[in-house]
Amino acid sequence: MRFKRFGASLLVTGLVLLGAASPALAHSELKSSDPARGASLATPPTQIKLTFSGPVTLADDNPIQITGPENASWTVGRAEVAGSVVTAPVKAVGPAGEYTLRYKVTFEDTHAASGSVKFNLSAPAPAASPSPSSSQAPAPAPASSADPAPQAAGTTPENLVPAWVWIVLAIAAVAAGVVVALRFTRRKN
């Protein structure tokens, strides 16, 4: 009889801990992208957008690359992070065909991840225009309200709780549950 109560108490404690820890153990993932996975585009995008299920930071200095047929490699500008959204301006070059967008990010739980999104370009990207002659000044880049937002505060890895802290807390909670269960069963007898 003692062991049944103890086992039931331990089971309930374990289920409560599992339910409470599930959100902390869940890994974030890519929710959507622009261009979308498998999209067929008539014209190349001027900006890419990756939306994740949780806050991210950029994994390195070159977190986004786009490559395609005939060794085409797009120029990707400085990527910006706003919470769970990563945006970067791009300049497309290359023929029609399948392109692969590769990304590297670090999620809020400090695990690094990489992935890819494949999409198709149905027409070749316009060839780069020749450099302007000395009599022509380059046109200034137009200001756009669609500029990406600066990186959100509080999403840097230094501000995150390491995974080992969650493990220690879970072990302490299980130990506390066992102590309570033992005291409860001792009082009954």
Side-chain angles (χ1 to χ4, degrees):
M1 190 69 162
R2 261 178 124 177
F3 289 110
K4 286 184 182 181
R5 286 187 193 146
F6 176 71
S9 297
L10 194 58
L11 178 64
V12 169
T13 303
L15 290 174
V16 168
L17 285 174
L18 182 62
S22 292
L25 296 175
H27 287 293
S28 298
E29 60 186 16
L30 180 66
K31 283 177 38 178
S32 65
S33 64
D34 185 12
R37 191 177 309 272
S40 183
L41 308 174
T43 59
T46 58
Q47 174 178 291
I48 60 98
K49 179 178 176 182
L50 302 170
T51 304
F52 296 89
S53 60
V56 296
T57 56
L58 301 176
D60 59 26
D61 291 338
N62 193 15
I64 298 171
Q65 300 172 349
I66 301 175
T67 55
E70 299 178 19
N71 296 323
S73 181
W74 292 11
T75 302
V76 179
R78 184 170 167 251
E80 297 288 335
V81 177
S84 60
V85 177
V86 177
T87 56
V90 295
K91 176 141 176 64
V93 294
E98 183 178 72
Y99 285 81
T100 303
L101 181 158
R102 288 181 179 79
Y103 61 87
K104 296 178 203 165
V105 295
T106 302
F107 291 107
E108 188 174 43
D109 63 1
T110 68
H111 85 274
S114 60
S116 63
V117 174
K118 292 184 182 282
F119 61 94
N120 290 299
L121 194 57
S122 60
S129 58
S131 61
S133 67
S134 59
S135 64
Q136 294 176 329
S144 169
S145 62
D147 286 342
Q151 182 168 350
T155 60
T156 59
E158 298 85 38
N159 295 338
L160 301 176
V161 179
W164 68 267
V165 172
W166 294 111
I167 294 168
V168 169
L169 288 173
I171 291 170
V174 168
V178 168
V179 169
V180 169
L182 286 173
R183 286 189 179 179
F184 179 72
T185 57
R186 284 185 185 160
R187 285 186 187 161
K188 293 285 183 171
N189 294 330

